[in-house]
Amino acid sequence: MARVVILGAGVSGHTAALRLRRMLGRRGDHEVVVVTPNANWNWIPSNIWVGVGQMPREKVVFPLAPVYEKTGVEFHQARAMAIRPEGDGESDQGAVDVEYTDPGRPGETARLRYDYLINATGPKLNFGATPGLGPDGHTVSVCTADHAIAAAEDLRATIERLKAGEPQTLVIGVGHGMCTCEGAAFEYAFNVEHQLREAGVRDLAEVVYLTNERELGDFGVGGMTFEQQGFVTTSALWTASIFRERGVNAILGAHVQRVEEGVIHYEQLDGTTHELAFDFAMLLPPFRGQEITAYDRAGEEITDRVFAPSGFMKVDADYTPKDYEAWRAEDWPTTYESPAYANVFAVGIAFAPPHAISRPAKSPSGTVIAPAPPRTGMPSGIMGRTVAATIADRIKSGDSATAHTASMARMGAGCIASAGTGMLSGSAAGMTMYPVVPDYQRFPGSGRDLRHTKGELGLAGHWTKVLLHHLFIYKAKARAMWWLIPE
Amino acid sequence: MNAPDHVAEPKGRTMLEQDPSIRHAPLPTRKTLRRRRNPLIQLYRFALLNSRMAYIALRGHK
Ligand SMILES: Cc1cc2nc3c(=O)[nH]c(=O)nc-3n(C[C@H](O)[C@H](O)[C@H](O)COP(=O)(O)OP(=O)(O)OC[C@H]3O[C@@H](n4cnc5c(N)ncnc54)[C@H](O)[C@@H]3O)c2cc1C
């Protein structure tokens, strides 16, 4: 009998758990265990709509326990604190130390043994990297459903002030020079802009997109090249056109140094520093890995062997520091196996990328101002499924079974960036790219296959976003034939 | 260059200068804006966009 422990039940961890349970058979001898601190699953992409008051919280979250009960997955509502890949004095079987967040087991801790471990713990929302950033400071966030509720409340108050005739400045973007997830900030900016128009108060509102991207449309993937109507064009031009059409301003190449009540202090790539007054600000935090430590059999700390300094777990990537020109598609991991322990894997945002995808940049004072690489929903889900397949094979055929592979440099992604809701008035930018990490050797020029790298704006994108919302929640609830829905 | 009247002119009190990349960006014509909202055209675009997404998802990681 084998026991697989999965840390985290987000896009990658939940996918891995459901797929693995199915691959191993519902009533097999093997155990699939999920450890995650939240009782609920959250479809994070739709938090954008919760954050503008267009969707209630209940539509984006649901309890995990009944799904795991139904599918035969053992569920621990707990937070992983430490991993012991070599075991401890009692056993040489790997183990995870957890602390329960289950209200029924306050303060309880446990050591859970595993044969295989998947780290799918996603990002730590590192608001602390920028003084004054985040819900405990002076800005709102949409990273969790509860954050989004608070953002919607703040936005409602801003709209009330606009209705009373008070001009307002709304700043939306990223709160640090090394943030990722610019696509989510873009979506929120345009959903807010849409709401202001719907409320009839657009005239008195200034909407500013504040970003660490050097140019619009970078989205942390170094931008995209498209072929459109006989021209080769770029996501930079395409995105700037949306900003112009909708009257949204942008501050590019910016690192937020600190936020005070109503004022953002930021530095730009040219080294200049500025202040920006605001009435409403939604700034995403930078991400880092969760605070999980690692110990060897003797109890000595080995965190730096297992995790990168960013807190993300090292996997089968090439982490040798290289200049941008020397970056290669092959640097990216394919199996997500820890180089230190072959039965430990990290997927989704939890794995340490070898380097950024966007071109690196620093201000004259040395501040890094460039997007970190995104690991969006589709790649995260594919990684979860791939590692599940590797583990299932090894359980069935032995540890020599070859690992399944899924490199971000060999994988495409579809991304729908909402720009406003409404079945007839909504719009979204629908983008597909192949591969996510450009491969300049295979696709000289843009690094991507232009037949599969496309972008378009319109109502169709909004309908697709709504469709994905329903499909992925259906799948995450493990309803009938869920497994037919691809990642 | 003034924006045509179907485009939202930025208004504001921060006196931020509009980023040149935005100032010089191409603007969609009224016809393009109508196409982006026309349910019939968009139904066709929806089918196309979803088939591209499905292709990417099913092709997975070749
Ligand atoms: C506002 C917003 C909008 C987005 N929109 C899109 C979009 O439109 N399309 C798209 O493709 N992507 C989007 N993304 C990105 C997408 O949400 C991520 O790609 C995806 O969630 C990553 O999956 P993951 O499994 O790595 O992490 P997560 O989904 O964040 O899951 C991490 C899990 O680990 C758990 N966890 C944390 N700490 C521990 C611990 N110590 N022990 C055990 N468990 C732990 C968490 O509770 C959670 O369950 C968006 C992101 C944001 C923030």
Side-chain angles (χ1 to χ4, degrees):
Chain A
M1 189 195 82
R3 186 172 160 86
V4 185
V5 174
I6 300 166
L7 309 178
V11 173
S12 61
H14 191 60
T15 304
L18 295 185
R19 292 276 177 199
L20 192 58
R21 187 67 280 177
R22 200 179 125 75
M23 290 168 191
L24 294 175
R26 169 79 173 79
R27 280 179 230 295
D29 303 332
H30 311 295
E31 289 173 352
V32 178
V33 180
V34 167
V35 174
T36 192
N38 295 326
N40 292 321
W41 193 81
N42 176 205
W43 177 238
I44 298 174
S46 296
N47 287 356
I48 300 292
W49 293 333
V50 177
V52 290
Q54 291 302 300
M55 189 173 267
R57 185 181 185 280
E58 307 78 67
K59 289 257 169 84
V60 298
V61 297
F62 65 81
L64 282 165
V67 178
Y68 289 147
E69 172 83 44
K70 174 172 76 174
T71 50
V73 171
E74 187 180 314
F75 174 44
H76 294 254
Q77 193 189 331
R79 189 187 306 283
M81 309 299 289
I83 60 170
R84 298 175 185 277
E86 299 170 8
D88 53 17
E90 274 174 27
S91 162
D92 60 4
Q93 193 181 13
V96 187
D97 293 346
V98 307
E99 192 176 283
Y100 284 88
T101 50
D102 185 336
R105 306 172 76 169
E108 207 180 305
T109 59
R111 185 161 294 177
L112 307 177
R113 301 277 165 189
Y114 65 78
D115 296 299
Y116 296 92
L117 179 72
I118 305 178
N119 175 11
T121 49
K124 174 183 171 189
L125 305 175
N126 194 15
F127 291 107
T130 305
L133 184 71
D136 294 333
H138 307 288
T139 61
V140 294
S141 148
V142 287
C143 289
T144 69
D146 289 335
H147 286 175
I149 298 267
E153 188 48 39
D154 208 13
L155 180 63
R156 201 193 50 75
T158 307
I159 291 175
E160 286 309 314
R161 290 195 293 274
L162 285 161
K163 283 186 176 161
E166 272 181 62
Q168 301 281 292
T169 301
L170 298 91
V171 183
I172 293 151
V174 300
H176 192 278
M178 289 165 73
C179 279
T180 180
C181 246
E182 289 75 14
F186 167 94
E187 284 191 286
Y188 192 65
F190 283 90
N191 270 271
V192 164
E193 197 274 340
H194 181 87
Q195 269 334 107
L196 296 172
R197 272 187 292 135
E198 295 281 300
V201 294
R202 182 68 179 90
D203 274 6
L204 286 175
E206 179 174 24
V207 183
V208 182
Y209 176 70
L210 177 75
T211 182
N212 55 352
E213 297 153 282
R214 190 203 300 254
E215 55 179 26
L216 290 173
D218 181 282
F219 296 128
V221 292
M224 281 161 273
T225 300
F226 306 125
E227 273 177 0
Q228 255 168 7
Q229 289 161 354
F231 286 89
V232 174
T233 181
T234 62
S235 53
L237 197 74
W238 189 72
T239 312
S241 169
I242 305 168
F243 275 74
R244 184 160 177 224
E245 175 207 332
R246 302 276 290 264
V248 176
N249 210 341
I251 298 171
L252 302 175
H255 160 70
V256 175
Q257 296 169 310
R258 65 181 195 283
V259 186
E260 290 165 358
E261 177 81 52
V263 187
I264 295 167
H265 298 261
Y266 65 93
E267 178 185 1
Q268 276 185 292
L269 273 170
D270 62 6
T272 55
T273 56
H274 309 266
E275 290 177 6
L276 179 66
F278 69 90
D279 302 289
F280 170 92
M282 194 300 288
L283 297 178
L284 296 175
F287 293 168
R288 56 172 288 116
Q290 302 290 351
E291 278 157 16
I292 300 175
T293 41
Y295 299 94
D296 69 8
R297 183 132 201 231
E300 292 294 322
E301 192 175 335
I302 51 164
T303 307
D304 56 356
R305 252 176 68 197
V306 180
F307 295 93
S310 58
F312 297 119
M313 190 177 255
K314 291 188 221 168
V315 291
D316 61 317
D318 182 352
Y319 294 109
T320 320
K322 293 175 189 171
D323 289 340
Y324 175 71
E325 285 67 28
W327 290 358
R328 291 287 174 270
E330 300 79 59
D331 300 341
W332 286 76
T334 58
T335 65
Y336 304 92
E337 233 176 63
S338 158
Y341 301 99
N343 61 343
V344 176
F345 301 80
V347 291
I349 294 178
F351 86 81
H355 42 65
I357 301 175
S358 301
R359 183 181 276 273
K362 274 185 189 171
S363 73
S365 65
T367 311
V368 177
I369 309 180
R375 275 84 91 209
T376 53
M378 193 187 269
S380 297
I382 293 175
M383 287 173 216
R385 184 187 68 200
T386 303
V387 166
T390 301
I391 294 175
D393 280 0
R394 290 190 179 166
I395 290 174
K396 289 178 192 163
S397 324
D399 278 345
S400 56
T402 318
H404 290 247
T405 60
S407 162
M408 279 175 64
R410 289 260 182 277
M411 180 195 298
C415 227
I416 309 293
S418 169
T421 54
M423 285 319 275
L424 289 176
S425 62
S427 70
M431 294 168 270
T432 52
M433 67 185 105
Y434 180 85
V436 178
V437 175
D439 185 338
Y440 295 100
Q441 275 68 42
R442 258 175 96 200
F443 305 108
S446 75
R448 296 201 177 94
D449 186 338
L450 295 189
R451 286 169 309 161
H452 303 299
T453 304
K454 307 254 181 226
E456 69 177 79
L457 192 71
L459 193 51
H462 176 68
W463 292 341
T464 306
K465 185 103 186 159
V466 173
L467 176 73
L468 293 180
H469 168 96
H470 291 294
L471 273 182
F472 284 117
I473 291 180
Y474 182 93
K475 179 179 169 187
K477 286 184 174 171
R479 293 253 166 93
M481 316 282 260
W482 64 267
W483 40 270
L484 286 175
I485 301 170
E487 277 63 44
Chain B
M1 184 167 52
N2 281 336
D5 59 1
H6 66 276
V7 167
E9 271 289 16
K11 312 227 165 35
R13 58 205 182 91
T14 56
M15 308 308 277
L16 267 179
E17 212 181 296
Q18 199 177 36
D19 190 84
S21 65
I22 301 175
R23 206 164 50 235
H24 302 304
L27 271 174
T29 58
R30 277 181 192 281
K31 194 171 158 210
T32 302
L33 291 180
R34 271 200 306 270
R35 275 168 45 98
R36 286 182 186 167
R37 287 208 172 174
N38 180 308
L40 277 180
I41 297 173
Q42 290 302 310
L43 204 59
Y44 169 69
R45 303 307 306 175
F46 177 76
L48 216 61
L49 174 60
N50 280 279
S51 55
R52 276 207 307 270
M53 299 261 296
Y55 179 81
I56 292 252
L58 294 172
R59 184 180 156 137
H61 47 273
K62 298 277 162 14

